[in-house]
Amino acid sequence: MSEFVQYLVNGLTIGAFLALIALGYSMIYGVVRLINFAHGDVFMIGAFAGFGTLTVLGSTGGMALPAVLAAVVVGALTTGLVGTGIARAAYVPLLSSPRLALLIAAIGVSLALEEGVKVLTDARFESYPHALDGGRILSGAVQVTWGQLVLVVLSVALMAALWLFVTRTVTGTAMRALAMDRDAARLQGIDVERLILATFFIGSLLAGAAGVMYGLYYVQISFGMGFLIGLRAFTAAVLGGIGNLPGTMAAGVCIGLVQSFSAGYVSSRWTDVVIFGLLIAVLALRPTGLFGERVVERA
């Protein structure tokens, strides 16, 4: 029983930052109908930005919550700006082009970002400072650290802030209108291009925050980390019904739990087999994902 609870705690922690990445995939697909393959690499850049911040601040031991918060803010803002710049330079000019052109552009941006960071870092693995080794809440058969609690609370706070923004603000309402029908939104006087850039900024911001959390949890980052984590987060977005934000949040946590339980009860070598096998099974039975899709498909 203690093993089950431990895997549950670990899965919730992993699922918390997977959900943040998945929300970016879901938001961008909702307004542009683009599977942004570069999103995982944006997440990777956030991890490196947070690593640089923690290195400069000298957070090398103990509970250093201010440094961690600073790293999350810097990582999130960095990726927000990077994501907006990518959208402005590579995606917005192609909005009226066939979707295949957007898809190819996304793949090209992904490779450019990954190879760029590979060159800049000499393909080294970097070790994150142990900034969240602040002791344990539970230290018996089930171990829960203060660091895990901080990561989960941060993720939940960011998801709640996103939900309030999308449902309670004029800009959020305009985003939802844009997701339903771009032409109708434009006729209503909505600045479509500005909203698309805002969506990329918010989605990339969440990915950057998740990148810092990933580094704090796994304590190791590299230029290639965005590929697999990005695929897992994309799986969560699809399972949740891509374009459906509450469904994406729930599916992100579910994927984290699947990852933890499969690694614990089967083997970590089978984790991706289980996750992507689940994706195939769900899509075969329910193509719109577990929670359906709320946005309307455009021609």
Side-chain angles (χ1 to χ4, degrees), residues 88-239:
R88 186 68 190 87
Y91 299 149
V92 171
L94 297 175
L95 286 179
S96 57
S97 303
R99 290 179 189 173
L100 182 60
L102 272 171
L103 204 60
I104 293 172
I107 294 172
V109 170
S110 172
L111 292 174
L113 292 178
E114 184 174 322
E115 292 300 315
V117 175
K118 179 181 178 180
V119 171
L120 290 173
T121 61
D122 290 330
R124 291 191 307 270
F125 283 76
E126 300 287 0
S127 297
Y128 247 65
H130 292 268
L132 288 180
D133 284 350
R136 301 180 187 281
I137 303 172
L138 297 176
S139 57
V142 177
Q143 297 188 358
V144 182
T145 67
W146 286 105
Q148 286 177 299
L149 180 63
V150 169
L151 296 181
V152 171
V153 169
L154 272 176
S155 298
V156 171
L158 287 171
M159 285 187 272
L162 174 67
W163 179 249
L164 290 175
F165 175 80
V166 170
T167 58
R168 303 291 176 83
T169 67
V170 174
T171 304
T173 303
M175 283 181 176
R176 286 186 285 136
L178 178 60
M180 294 177 69
D181 192 316
R182 186 187 303 169
D183 294 329
R186 195 188 302 276
L187 289 174
Q188 291 295 318
I190 293 174
D191 188 336
V192 171
E193 183 177 314
R194 185 180 67 82
L195 272 184
I196 288 174
L197 294 178
T199 303
F200 270 90
F201 178 81
I202 296 171
S204 302
L205 184 145
L206 294 176
V212 179
M213 294 180 196
Y214 176 96
L216 291 167
Y217 187 69
Y218 287 105
V219 204
Q220 190 175 65
I221 60 174
S222 74
F223 70 94
M225 60 185 277
F227 177 72
L228 187 56
I229 298 299
L231 280 181
R232 290 175 182 172
F234 176 67
T235 301
V238 173
L239 288 180

